[in-house]
Structures are given as C-alpha cells and as structure tokens.
Amino acid sequence: MNQVKPRTLSGFMELLPQQQMYFENMLSIIRETYEGHGFFPLDTPIIEASEVLLAKGGGETEKQIYRFEKGDTDLSLRFDLTVPLAKYVAMYQGQLTFPFRRYQIGKVYRGERAQRGRFREFYQADIDIIGSESLAIENDGEMVVLISQVFEKLGLENYTIHINNRKILTGFYEMLGLAEKSSDIMRIVDKLEKIGKESVLELLEKEGISKGQEILDFMDNSKKSMEEFWKALKAYEGKNTTFDLGVAELEQVCNYLYATLPENLLDTVDLDLSIARGLDYYTGTVYETTLNAHPEIGSICSGGRYDNLAEYYTIKKLPGVGISIGLTRLFYIMEEKGYLNPHFLSAPCDVLFLPMSQEKEYMERIRNATSHLKGKYQIYTENKKMKQKFAYADKLGIPYVVIVGEEEMSQDNIVLAKDMKTGQQKQIAVSEIENVIQNHPDSPLHEPERHQRDKRPFSMKKEGEAIDE
Amino acid sequence: MNQVKPRTLSGFMELLPQQQMYFENMLSIIRETYEGHGFFPLDTPIIEASEVLLAKGGGETEKQIYRFEKGDTDLSLRFDLTVPLAKYVAMYQGQLTFPFRRYQIGKVYRGERAQRGRFREFYQADIDIIGSESLAIENDGEMVVLISQVFEKLGLENYTIHINNRKILTGFYEMLGLAEKSSDIMRIVDKLEKIGKESVLELLEKEGISKGQEILDFMDNSKKSMEEFWKALKAYEGKNTTFDLGVAELEQVCNYLYATLPENLLDTVDLDLSIARGLDYYTGTVYETTLNAHPEIGSICSGGRYDNLAEYYTIKKLPGVGISIGLTRLFYIMEEKGYLNPHFLSAPCDVLFLPMSQEKEYMERIRNATSHLKGKYQIYTENKKMKQKFAYADKLGIPYVVIVGEEEMSQDNIVLAKDMKTGQQKQIAVSEIENVIQNHPDSPLHEPERHQRDKRPFSMKKEGEAIDE
C-alpha cells in the first residue's frame, strides 16, 4: 500500500489525550461560568461569504485570511468571533431579546507567519452584551467580574485586569490640541509597558507629536494611589466634555466593582491610563489582562465597549461591551510557564472493571455494580495477562481497579477492589464501590485513621490562648 | 456607510438562541456519556494538508471536499472525523495507551448539493476504540450500550439499533459462489428497507447477479424470532469459515448485550442481516440506528468494526470499532418531527435580579444574595421602566425575579421574590432564594399543599386490594 507520512500543519495545535482533557476542562469552566450568568451559547459557521465577512474591509487582517472559491462562491474562514456576531445580531435582530447576552467558544483562522506560540487555528472564547439603542454602563463592570471568575476557577492566581476608558484619552488629547493625532498617540502609548518611556518619547517625536512628556506624565497617574489618581483626573474636570464623560463612566464601573466583586478579588483590578487597545472600534471602557510574572506575554484577555456593533450590516444602533480570551494561546502559555492546575484530573475514569471471564454471570455482576454508580468507569475486556491489565490502569492513572474473579463469583454481590496508589486491596460489596471511588471517609479501602487527639499538640500555644498575647 | 446585507451561506445551520441552548444540551449529554466511560476527548485541526487527508484517495467524497491553496500549501477541510483519527493514532502511536478510547465532537465539511435537511457544515460526534494488533469483540458490544445510553438521555424513545456482521454476508455470498460480486450485492441489499424486495431483485438482475431470491430469503431470517434466527444461521455452520466466524462474533456481541444492557433496553436492539454499510472499510460488526416512526430518514447513528484504521499512514495494524452520530442532521430531524425534549431548559438563567438603584448598598445586597447561590442568575441593570424589566424576564422564560427596592433596603437581608408563572410574590430572606429557584418543597413561594389524606379516595378499590382480584 502507498503510504503517506502523517503530519499536522504547523501553526495548528494538536494535543495528546491527557493535555486535551486539561484543555476540555478549561472549556467547561468557561462555559459554566458564562452560562451561570445568563449568557446564551452561540454557534456560527466557520465559513462565511467573503463579501459578508470582509464588509468592514480588511487592512492588516485581510492578508491573513483563508479565502478561497468553491463553485462560484467566494468564501472565507472567520478570523474572529466579533464579525460573525455582528452579522448574526443584524440578521436576527427582530427575534432577539435585548440586551442580548451571548458567549461563543470556537475556532478562528489567521494565516500568520509561523512562529513559536502563534497559531493559525485557535480557539477564542468571547462574551458580549449587546443593547438595542442603549446599554447601561454597569455591563462594563460585569465583564470584569466575569473575567475574574473565569481566571480564579482556572487556578490562575497572579493576574491583573487593567481597565481604562478611551473617552478619557480622546478628551485629554483634545485638550492638548492633538485631537487629530489621537489614534496614533494611543497606538504608540499602548506599547509603554513593553518598550518603556524613552522609546515611546522617541516614537512620538518621530511621528511629529509634541508634548510627549506631558502625555507620559499623565500616564504616570496610573501609578498613584487610588485617592491621588482620582484627584489628578478631577483636576481636569470642566475642560472637555468627552474627558468628563470618560471619567464619570470609569467611576461608575469602579463603583459597580466595589459593590459586586468579592473583596479578595479587588486587588486583581487596576486602573491604567496607558491601555487603549489598537482598534478604533472601541469607544469607552477597555480591558486588558496580564499575568503579573510575565508582562512580556501581553494581554491574555481583552475587550471593551463599542458604540455600534453592526454598522456594516444594519442602520440599527447596537452598542455593546465584550471580552475575548485567546484560549489556545493561553493554554500554550500556561503549559510553558508551569501554570497548569495539578488538581484537574487527567485519568479518563475513576475505576476500571476487570472481569476475569466474559461469561454472562461475570458481566452481570459488573452491570449490577455499575447500574447506580455515579463516577466514571470503564470495563476492560481485552484478553491480556493480568500484569498487562494492571499496567493499562497504571499508565492512564486510573486510581481504582475492581476485579471480578472466580473467588468473588463464589459469593453474592462481592468484588475485589484495589487502590492503585497504595496497592491495598479488599473484597467489598458492590454497593461499596461508590464510597471507594469517591474516596469517602468510610471507604472500606481506607486505613483506620490515626487518633490525632491522643498525641500531645506540637504547638507550644496553650488551648484558647492567642499567639501574640 | 456602505452596508452589506448580512446572510448565512445555504447549507450552514445557524440557530436562534433558544434552539442553540437545546443543541448545546445535546452536546453536553453526549460528552458526559462518553467521558463517563473512559473515553478521552480529542480535537484535531479542521484544516489538514490535502496530501494527508486524501491519502486514501477520494472517489465520491473527493468532489465534495473544500480544497484550496494558501501560500504554496494545498489544504483541505476535514470531511469526517475518522481520517483525522487515523492520522492522529499513526502519528502518536508511541505515546498512546491501547486500547485507545477517544470521542470527538466537531464540525466537518462536505460541499453537497444544497437540499433541505442536508448540510455542508455539520457536527459529527464519534467514538472509537482502537486496539494495537488486536481488540476484543466485547468492545463491539459496548458501542451498542453507549448508543442506547445517549439516545435514552436525549429523550428519543422509539428507536432501533440494528446490528449485523459483514463476515456473515461475505461468507454467505462465498457459499453462493458470488464472492466477487460481494460488494455490489451488499450495496444493493442495503437499500432493502428503503426500496423494497421487488426493486432489489431488479437491481441485482441488472448487475447480472443470480440467486436474488435466495439472497432475499436469507435476509428474511431477520424477521424470525431470535430462536429461529439462530437456528437458521447455525444450519449453514461448517461450510464457510468466514461465515462461521461472523456468526460466532455476532453471538458474542449478543451475549455481551444480554449481560450488560439494562433489561428495559434490550428491545431497542435488533439483528438485521440486510445491514451492510456502504464502505468496504468495515470488516465485522456493523450498526445502524433508525427512528421506528420514520424509516425514511435512514440511519441516524452508524458505524462498525474495522481491521485496520490507519493503513495509509502506518504499517502497524490498528483494528478498531466506532460509531458516529450526525448531530446537525439529528437536531434538524428532531425539531422537524417534534421530538425535541420539552424538559430541557430554554431560559438562560433561573433568576433575574432587579436592583431598583445602582447605588452601592443595593448592589451589595445582591452580592450577598448571590455569593453562595448555586443556580444560574443574571443582574439586570438597564435603565428601563419596571414593565420593560419584567417583559425581559418574561420573553426569555426566566422563572423567578428578585427585586431589591427601597422597601427591601429598609430591612436587613430582605429581597422581594416573584414567581413569573403564578405571579405570586413575597419578601424573603436572601438565604431563601436558593430554595425558591430550586423549587424546593419548603420554598417560601409555595402555596401550602392540600392535605390529600383528608379527602376520601376517589378510587373504588379498597386499600390493599388488587384490582383484578
């Protein structure tokens, strides 16, 4: 037979089973969090008519798009989940209830230059809330609450959600008489964290933008205490209405967070005037999320408020706010930096059943044992040596094996349970299997617990005495 | 602004939010069932090198493939999940533990002629168990158990899983001296259910195949009682080894099912000699699943046993068994035929919180109320009239609304809960919200239950008396 060497295209992530389980775990955490807060799932085609997908016109992105013809139709693969959302809301606006809250987790495609940690096919996980004509600013606060819930559940502890409001920047540059250069300045200042003050000043000068120092001094307010920060912003009040509106919105978002974010998470939030997001699309609140120990990675979750989601498809005004996590890249980074949560399970099941014979009575005993079992289980039926059967459980990290052999069959409802970690094994009733695999304190495989109370306390502190007394 | 009419390509399914929730529900049932039995999730790229994806050569399928160039690379979109699995197992065989059990749910692409109920982008949900060199026949039985679990949980009651073994057919046609015509015969007889005996006979004759009546008589054994069925098959024993092997395998699969399938599900299984599956790829057990009330739809879940998963990629022998559900089509059919399970939820959350003010104290009360809430909730913050706020909950079918107004704020930890269905509302403690939304019997919104015991029984039967005595 003519054989082809099997391979996967570069820039396309393909994981081994245990890694994939981890990734699926991340997916279900995100799904559950968003579904837990009234977001509808959404699924749109990966292929769209190019004319629809590229309605906005491409710029940088257009070169990266997977575009091709099938029959006479000019097709493109989606490069993000925002354009499909805009199309969807424009198409079905009469059938949607606003504010329309949706999450979407799906693959998107960008033919970027192959590079370590850059992917051509990758998952994005987006949430957006779309209003009809208007949308309360509190939604901008809710985004932050949701980001932090997701990251907490993923077990990522050391992160910061940076918040800014583009109206503050736009207003400030107007005050400096640099209104027309506004976009350029934002693009350059956005790099502040990465390239430092000197380089930002140089870049500004190169673009013929004066008052670079003044701009940087303004950014420095982000380093001040919250009290000083607000004092500095309020000092400009009354000079520019866009600026004032931005400050008011940012304050409202903060108030929402003070009232709704659990107190222990407040310090994951930071107000940062240098954040602008590249796209002019954003018109108010903007977000970026960074790992504190790895600023060089850049943002792992970004988004913001926009005035008009679907202006290329409909005259209806659809303001919204949304965030997006680049999941494939996030997984890659977490694995590389050792951030994968070791508490996520990697075994495909909790218990492996080993019938010593395929005869009806043996299998029926397993049916009885599993009929009300809540855990994950698998029945191993390969005709292999005992040693190989245990090696299978061992390699996959399956914690318990339940054997049905001749001896067990001589008694009613009995199986032999083995703890693969300790090697302990014991004949138990089928009804006890649940306790074993759920690792209940009354599991028949447990060693009797040592009575801690019998031992004198190691601590020198007497009972009821506070240490610093 | 230059606007483009938003549209979705024909042959691409795009659902409204409530429908999409239903579909996601189906996805999670399938995921949970397969994960509950030790199957690893797998995710492979949608785009592959054409050379790899089409290693087997195409035939009918090749014309339907989405194939294009990007840069200098010849790319194709996957048209099923089996070829990517073969590639994956061949590539990573050294790192996998066999039998390798995986499920994969993903979109595949076929540029079929647009037609009602036919999709160009559709979900397949596959499971396969791959052995290294060998794989026990019991796995073929496990597939049936898994199919029935999935369909039961989806709420599809009236279905039949048809089982056959291709070795029986191959052996039988060899006995008739029609070995070389074997594939043609199977292809034609496969249509028996759809086109009837007369047409099958005609088609066989047209292909120059004699003994058509004998073939149909053999198929008729599928209509006999189980006892008669096995007697008929055993009558041929000793004449052809392939036939005998097929009968032995089918018997083993049945024994597995008698021992492991819950008794109430045994009647969902049928042995059907006319089932062959089109592809020569299958070498033993084959499955088809039909809806009893709609035979015209054909199989909604099919698969079988194969000797060699990845012969185009590796010399290693990888026998396996698998089944595939065409999910997009199944959803389409279920919706069209009114089979969608009404017990699946369609509201995006269990409770909608309505703060009458965005002030800190109001929002903090909601934080307290939600901090340990297990249900799904959403906080509604739009600045709308009361009537519109309730209309939002109503349109989305959200069953409970919890209001935090001035009156509630005058007391500690109190909110106003409203049952949207009955209209009942009551001030309750925040700690009682869980009981309300979980609809517990002690929910403060419940009407006091009528004491059934006080009423004389309507039935004329005396207590303890059986009706037909």
Side-chain angles (χ1 to χ4, degrees):
Chain A
M1 180 152 309
N2 217 344
Q3 278 178 356
V4 171
K5 189 174 150 47
R7 67 189 169 91
T8 298
L9 292 164
S10 79
F12 288 69
M13 185 182 268
E14 196 167 61
L15 302 173
L16 285 169
Q18 247 103 354
Q19 289 177 306
Q20 188 65 49
M21 269 192 87
Y22 194 98
F23 191 82
E24 296 292 324
N25 223 322
M26 289 172 65
L27 290 179
S28 55
I29 283 174
I30 294 173
R31 267 197 298 264
E32 277 165 28
T33 307
Y34 294 159
E35 285 185 1
H37 292 88
F39 285 81
F40 276 111
L42 178 61
D43 191 9
T44 62
I46 283 174
I47 307 178
E48 300 271 7
S50 299
E51 165 211 353
V52 174
L53 203 66
L54 304 174
K56 194 181 177 176
E60 264 312 291
T61 334
E62 196 150 352
K63 278 177 259 165
Q64 300 180 349
I65 286 170
Y66 285 84
R67 183 172 181 172
F68 55 94
E69 294 202 348
K70 174 88 182 160
D72 294 331
T73 324
D74 180 1
L75 304 171
S76 291
L77 304 189
R78 66 183 179 204
F79 52 89
D80 71 7
L81 301 176
T82 304
V83 177
L85 172 67
K87 179 208 78 169
Y88 183 90
V89 179
M91 269 179 82
Y92 304 105
Q93 50 183 286
Q95 292 159 83
L96 301 177
T97 303
F98 292 94
F100 173 53
R101 299 157 73 90
R102 85 85 176 81
Y103 77 91
Q104 182 166 10
I105 304 176
K107 286 177 170 178
V108 304
Y109 295 83
R110 293 186 198 171
E112 295 200 65
R113 204 156 44 83
Q115 209 180 329
R116 235 179 121 252
R118 286 277 162 196
F119 297 93
R120 289 172 173 167
E121 174 185 74
F122 57 97
Y123 276 96
Q124 282 195 333
D126 280 23
I127 45 172
D128 287 86
I129 305 176
I130 313 294
S132 169
E133 301 297 335
S134 71
L135 184 72
I137 193 76
E138 280 74 16
N139 294 285
D140 299 31
E142 191 183 1
M143 289 288 140
V144 178
V145 177
L146 292 167
I147 300 174
S148 71
Q149 281 198 15
V150 165
F151 283 130
E152 289 297 313
K153 288 189 199 160
L154 289 179
L156 267 176
E157 280 156 20
N158 204 6
Y159 62 91
T160 302
I161 305 168
H162 306 267
I163 312 177
N164 193 15
N165 190 302
R166 277 180 67 126
K167 292 192 181 78
I168 297 178
L169 300 181
T170 307
F172 181 70
Y173 299 137
E174 279 173 18
M175 282 190 250
L176 293 186
L178 297 168
E180 273 143 53
K181 295 279 184 181
S182 189
S183 290
D184 292 332
I185 306 175
M186 286 190 208
R187 189 174 35 79
I188 294 168
V189 175
D190 207 33
K191 298 176 183 158
L192 187 56
E193 185 72 34
K194 272 193 191 166
I195 62 174
K197 283 186 180 182
E198 291 303 310
S199 310
V200 165
L201 273 179
E202 268 174 45
L203 282 175
L204 287 173
E205 255 172 59
K206 215 185 256 176
E207 297 268 341
I209 296 159
S210 59
K211 304 188 186 166
Q213 193 53 51
E214 214 164 325
I215 294 170
L216 288 181
D217 288 348
F218 181 73
M219 297 302 148
D220 268 347
N221 288 318
S222 308
K223 305 232 157 65
K224 293 178 180 163
S225 73
M226 275 299 114
E227 211 188 328
E228 293 293 315
F229 173 85
W230 287 112
K231 225 166 110 183
L233 288 189
K234 300 279 165 116
Y236 293 96
E237 230 166 25
K239 293 178 182 165
N240 179 292
T241 52
T242 307
F243 184 92
D244 291 353
L245 186 55
V247 172
E249 286 183 1
L250 188 59
E251 217 174 352
Q252 264 180 289
V253 170
C254 287
N255 286 341
Y256 183 94
L257 294 178
Y258 285 123
T260 59
L261 203 60
E263 289 214 13
N264 63 320
L265 296 181
L266 278 177
D267 281 343
T268 64
V269 175
D270 193 37
L271 303 185
D272 187 341
L273 294 169
S274 71
I275 302 291
R277 303 300 306 144
L279 306 163
D280 282 336
Y281 175 60
Y282 294 113
T283 51
T285 311
V286 282
Y287 318 94
E288 286 194 357
T289 313
T290 53
L291 298 173
N292 300 344
H294 297 285
E296 79 282 3
I297 285 167
S299 178
I300 53 170
C301 172
S302 319
R305 155 75 71 147
Y306 38 86
D307 277 344
N308 221 333
L309 172 72
E311 54 183 340
Y312 297 94
Y313 304 121
T314 176
I315 50 164
K316 187 168 180 109
K317 203 186 159 203
L318 297 164
V321 62
I323 48 168
S324 177
I325 305 177
L327 261 186
T328 303
R329 183 152 171 272
L330 179 60
F331 176 83
Y332 176 86
I333 290 165
M334 285 173 72
E335 192 177 41
E336 197 187 52
K337 304 292 180 201
Y339 285 168
L340 295 188
N341 190 334
H343 297 298
F344 286 9
L345 270 181
S346 71
C349 59
D350 305 318
V351 57
L352 186 73
F353 285 89
L354 291 186
M356 288 299 105
S357 149
Q358 255 55 271
E359 274 172 49
K360 202 177 172 198
E361 306 79 54
Y362 285 73
M363 298 305 289
E364 277 178 342
R365 172 119 349 146
I366 291 176
R367 173 167 63 187
N368 292 343
T370 56
S371 63
H372 294 97
L373 204 61
K374 283 188 207 86
K376 299 177 175 184
Y377 69 89
Q378 180 191 330
I379 309 170
Y380 187 94
T381 49
E382 298 311 300
N383 183 18
K384 303 264 176 184
K385 292 199 183 111
M386 208 58 195
K387 206 179 144 188
Q388 288 171 296
K389 294 181 182 181
F390 280 110
Y392 176 84
D394 210 40
K395 269 197 212 163
L396 292 179
I398 301 170
Y400 297 100
V401 165
V402 165
I403 299 150
V404 181
E406 228 176 295
E407 224 183 293
E408 286 74 47
M409 288 309 293
S410 70
Q411 302 166 68
D412 281 346
N413 294 317
I414 289 295
V415 294
L416 180 66
K418 180 172 179 173
D419 182 327
M420 290 297 287
K421 216 156 143 191
T422 65
Q424 273 187 294
Q425 58 179 47
K426 200 177 172 184
Q427 280 193 343
I428 62 170
V430 293
S431 57
E432 286 180 304
I433 297 173
E434 188 80 50
N435 273 347
V436 168
I437 65 172
Q438 303 294 348
N439 212 355
H440 279 183
D442 59 344
S443 153
L445 284 192
H446 268 214
E447 286 275 279
E449 268 190 81
R450 288 207 198 96
H451 290 281
Q452 297 273 352
R453 284 283 157 208
D454 289 346
K455 184 184 166 297
R456 101 192 139 144
F458 182 66
S459 142
M460 309 255 283
K461 184 170 85 66
K462 285 183 205 135
E463 211 133 31
E465 194 184 47
I467 258 181
D468 50 9
E469 251 177 13
Chain B
M1 180 152 311
N2 217 344
Q3 278 177 356
V4 171
K5 188 174 152 48
R7 65 187 171 94
T8 299
L9 294 163
S10 78
F12 288 70
M13 184 183 267
E14 197 166 61
L15 301 173
L16 285 170
Q18 247 105 351
Q19 289 177 306
Q20 188 65 48
M21 267 191 89
Y22 194 97
F23 191 82
E24 297 290 325
N25 224 322
M26 290 173 66
L27 290 179
S28 55
I29 283 173
I30 294 172
R31 267 196 298 264
E32 275 164 30
T33 308
Y34 295 158
E35 285 186 1
H37 292 88
F39 285 81
F40 276 111
L42 179 61
D43 190 10
T44 62
I46 284 174
I47 308 177
E48 300 270 8
S50 298
E51 165 210 355
V52 173
L53 203 67
L54 305 174
K56 195 181 176 176
E60 265 310 291
T61 333
E62 195 152 349
K63 278 178 259 163
Q64 300 180 349
I65 285 169
Y66 285 84
R67 184 172 179 171
F68 55 93
E69 294 203 347
K70 174 86 182 164
D72 294 332
T73 324
D74 180 1
L75 304 172
S76 291
L77 304 189
R78 66 184 180 204
F79 52 89
D80 72 6
L81 301 175
T82 304
V83 176
L85 172 66
K87 180 208 77 170
Y88 183 88
V89 179
M91 269 179 82
Y92 303 106
Q93 50 182 285
Q95 293 160 84
L96 301 177
T97 302
F98 292 95
F100 173 53
R101 298 157 72 91
R102 84 88 177 77
Y103 77 91
Q104 182 166 8
I105 304 175
K107 287 177 170 179
V108 304
Y109 296 82
R110 294 186 198 170
E112 296 199 67
R113 204 156 44 83
Q115 208 180 331
R116 235 178 122 253
R118 286 278 161 195
F119 297 93
R120 291 173 171 166
E121 174 185 74
F122 58 97
Y123 276 96
Q124 282 195 333
D126 280 22
I127 45 171
D128 287 85
I129 306 176
I130 312 295
S132 169
E133 301 298 335
S134 72
L135 184 72
I137 193 76
E138 280 75 17
N139 294 285
D140 299 29
E142 191 181 0
M143 289 289 140
V144 178
V145 178
L146 292 168
I147 300 174
S148 71
Q149 282 199 14
V150 166
F151 284 129
E152 290 298 313
K153 287 190 200 161
L154 289 178
L156 268 176
E157 278 156 24
N158 204 7
Y159 62 92
T160 302
I161 305 168
H162 306 267
I163 313 178
N164 193 14
N165 190 302
R166 279 181 66 125
K167 290 191 182 79
I168 298 178
L169 300 181
T170 307
F172 181 70
Y173 299 138
E174 278 172 20
M175 283 190 250
L176 294 186
L178 296 168
E180 273 143 50
K181 295 278 184 182
S182 188
S183 291
D184 291 333
I185 306 175
M186 287 191 208
R187 190 175 32 80
I188 294 167
V189 175
D190 208 34
K191 298 176 184 158
L192 187 57
E193 185 72 34
K194 272 193 190 166
I195 63 176
K197 282 185 183 184
E198 293 303 312
S199 310
V200 165
L201 273 179
E202 268 175 45
L203 282 174
L204 287 173
E205 256 172 59
K206 213 184 258 173
E207 296 269 341
I209 295 159
S210 59
K211 306 187 185 169
Q213 192 54 52
E214 215 166 321
I215 293 170
L216 287 181
D217 288 349
F218 180 74
M219 297 301 147
D220 267 348
N221 288 317
S222 308
K223 303 233 156 68
K224 294 177 178 163
S225 73
M226 274 299 113
E227 211 186 330
E228 295 292 316
F229 174 84
W230 287 112
K231 225 166 111 185
L233 287 190
K234 298 280 164 118
Y236 293 96
E237 228 165 23
K239 294 179 184 164
N240 179 292
T241 51
T242 307
F243 184 90
D244 292 353
L245 187 55
V247 172
E249 286 183 1
L250 187 60
E251 218 175 351
Q252 265 180 287
V253 169
C254 287
N255 287 340
Y256 183 93
L257 293 178
Y258 285 123
T260 59
L261 203 61
E263 290 210 16
N264 64 321
L265 296 183
L266 277 178
D267 281 342
T268 64
V269 175
D270 192 35
L271 303 184
D272 187 341
L273 294 168
S274 71
I275 301 292
R277 305 299 305 143
L279 305 163
D280 282 336
Y281 175 62
Y282 293 114
T283 52
T285 310
V286 280
Y287 318 94
E288 285 193 357
T289 314
T290 54
L291 298 174
N292 299 344
H294 296 284
E296 79 283 2
I297 285 168
S299 179
I300 53 169
C301 172
S302 319
R305 156 74 71 147
Y306 38 86
D307 278 343
N308 221 333
L309 172 72
E311 54 183 341
Y312 297 94
Y313 304 122
T314 174
I315 51 164
K316 186 165 181 116
K317 203 185 158 204
L318 297 163
V321 62
I323 48 167
S324 177
I325 305 176
L327 262 185
T328 302
R329 183 153 171 271
L330 179 60
F331 176 83
Y332 176 86
I333 290 164
M334 286 173 71
E335 193 177 40
E336 197 187 51
K337 304 293 179 200
Y339 285 167
L340 295 188
N341 189 333
H343 297 297
F344 286 9
L345 269 181
S346 72
C349 58
D350 307 316
V351 56
L352 186 73
F353 286 89
L354 291 186
M356 288 299 106
S357 148
Q358 256 54 271
E359 271 172 51
K360 202 177 174 199
E361 306 79 54
Y362 285 73
M363 298 306 288
E364 277 177 341
R365 174 124 339 154
I366 290 176
R367 171 167 65 185
N368 292 343
T370 56
S371 61
H372 294 98
L373 204 61
K374 282 186 207 85
K376 298 176 176 184
Y377 68 90
Q378 179 191 328
I379 308 169
Y380 187 95
T381 49
E382 299 310 302
N383 183 19
K384 303 264 177 184
K385 289 193 184 119
M386 208 58 194
K387 204 179 147 189
Q388 289 171 295
K389 293 181 183 182
F390 280 110
Y392 176 85
D394 211 41
K395 270 197 211 164
L396 293 178
I398 301 171
Y400 298 100
V401 165
V402 166
I403 300 150
V404 181
E406 225 174 299
E407 222 182 296
E408 286 72 47
M409 289 309 293
S410 69
Q411 302 165 68
D412 281 344
N413 293 318
I414 290 296
V415 294
L416 180 67
K418 178 171 182 173
D419 182 327
M420 290 297 287
K421 216 155 141 193
T422 64
Q424 272 186 293
Q425 58 180 48
K426 198 177 172 186
Q427 281 194 342
I428 62 170
V430 293
S431 57
E432 286 180 303
I433 297 173
E434 187 80 51
N435 274 347
V436 168
I437 64 173
Q438 303 296 347
N439 211 355
H440 279 183
D442 60 343
S443 154
L445 284 193
H446 269 213
E447 285 275 278
E449 266 189 83
R450 287 205 200 96
H451 290 280
Q452 298 273 351
R453 285 282 156 205
D454 289 347
K455 183 184 168 295
R456 102 192 136 143
F458 182 66
S459 143
M460 310 255 284
K461 184 171 82 69
K462 284 183 204 132
E463 210 131 37
E465 195 185 45
I467 262 181
D468 49 9
E469 252 177 12

